[in-house]
Amino acid sequence: MNKKTLDKKVKAFTLLEVLIVLVVISILLLVGLPSLTKFTYSAKKRADDLNMMTIKEATALYLVEDADAQAKTGSFEVKTSELITKGYLDVKQLSKVSEGDKADALKSPLTNKAYTVTVNVPTGSGEAKPYIEVSNGETSKDTSTTGSGTQGK
């Protein structure tokens, strides 16, 4: 044997050391991932709630200013694309989309479905204001927003 080969010792991790590191990393991921997804969901929920409030306020402004909308009676739907083209909603503030996707731009970050805006005009006499409901595509009642700038306030 050569003296040169004896003096050169290769330093490397053993298989056991690599396995221990992998186990520690996997335990950290198992502990940390659920809290990370919880924060992601709560951020999307908050963004969705704020989007629905903004859409509702824009719809209320649209109903006040637009003569065609004031002439409608009963229950009708207001398209978000109409609110965008008439300047009541700014897509850039609500979501990060390109300019070309304005028709599909207003999708809920929570459900990835388009927002629907329903206006229910009271049929009785008096100075009653319309009732606006914005939904993000979910069926549960707590996800739709009603009232702001409309009846009940």
Side-chain angles (χ1 to χ4, degrees):
M1 265 202 222
N2 244 341
K3 190 169 184 162
K4 289 182 181 179
T5 57
L6 287 178
D7 289 342
K8 284 188 175 180
K9 288 188 178 179
V10 178
K11 294 185 177 183
F13 292 110
T14 64
L15 182 61
L16 182 62
E17 291 170 333
V18 171
L19 287 175
I20 289 173
V21 167
L22 288 175
V23 166
V24 168
I25 290 173
S26 64
I27 289 173
L28 289 173
L29 284 175
L30 285 174
V31 169
L33 242 113
S35 64
L36 180 64
T37 56
K38 180 179 135 185
F39 289 130
T40 303
Y41 175 79
S42 66
K44 285 182 178 181
K45 176 78 173 134
R46 180 73 177 145
D48 190 49
D49 290 343
L50 291 173
N51 283 352
M52 287 194 296
M53 285 184 357
T54 303
I55 291 169
K56 185 190 317 171
E57 293 297 325
T59 305
L61 186 61
Y62 166 72
L63 292 175
V64 168
E65 292 181 353
D66 195 281
D68 292 336
Q70 291 173 2
K72 294 181 181 178
T73 59
S75 179
F76 62 94
E77 193 169 301
V78 177
K79 297 194 180 299
T80 54
S81 59
E82 186 177 354
L83 295 173
I84 294 167
T85 56
K86 291 190 176 187
Y88 293 101
L89 277 177
D90 186 6
V91 180
K92 292 178 191 173
Q93 291 181 352
L94 291 177
S95 58
K96 305 286 185 204
V97 294
S98 64
E99 286 292 321
D101 293 339
K102 283 189 175 183
D104 294 331
L106 292 179
K107 288 189 177 180
S108 168
L110 192 61
T111 63
N112 204 26
K113 295 180 182 176
Y115 290 106
T116 56
V117 182
T118 307
V119 178
N120 298 307
V121 180
T123 55
S125 63
E127 297 281 328
K129 295 179 182 176
Y131 179 76
I132 299 171
E133 182 178 344
V134 178
S135 175
N136 62 1
E138 285 186 351
T139 56
S140 63
K141 285 285 184 191
D142 60 340
T143 57
S144 64
T145 313
T146 55
S148 173
T150 60
Q151 189 176 34
K153 210 171 186 193

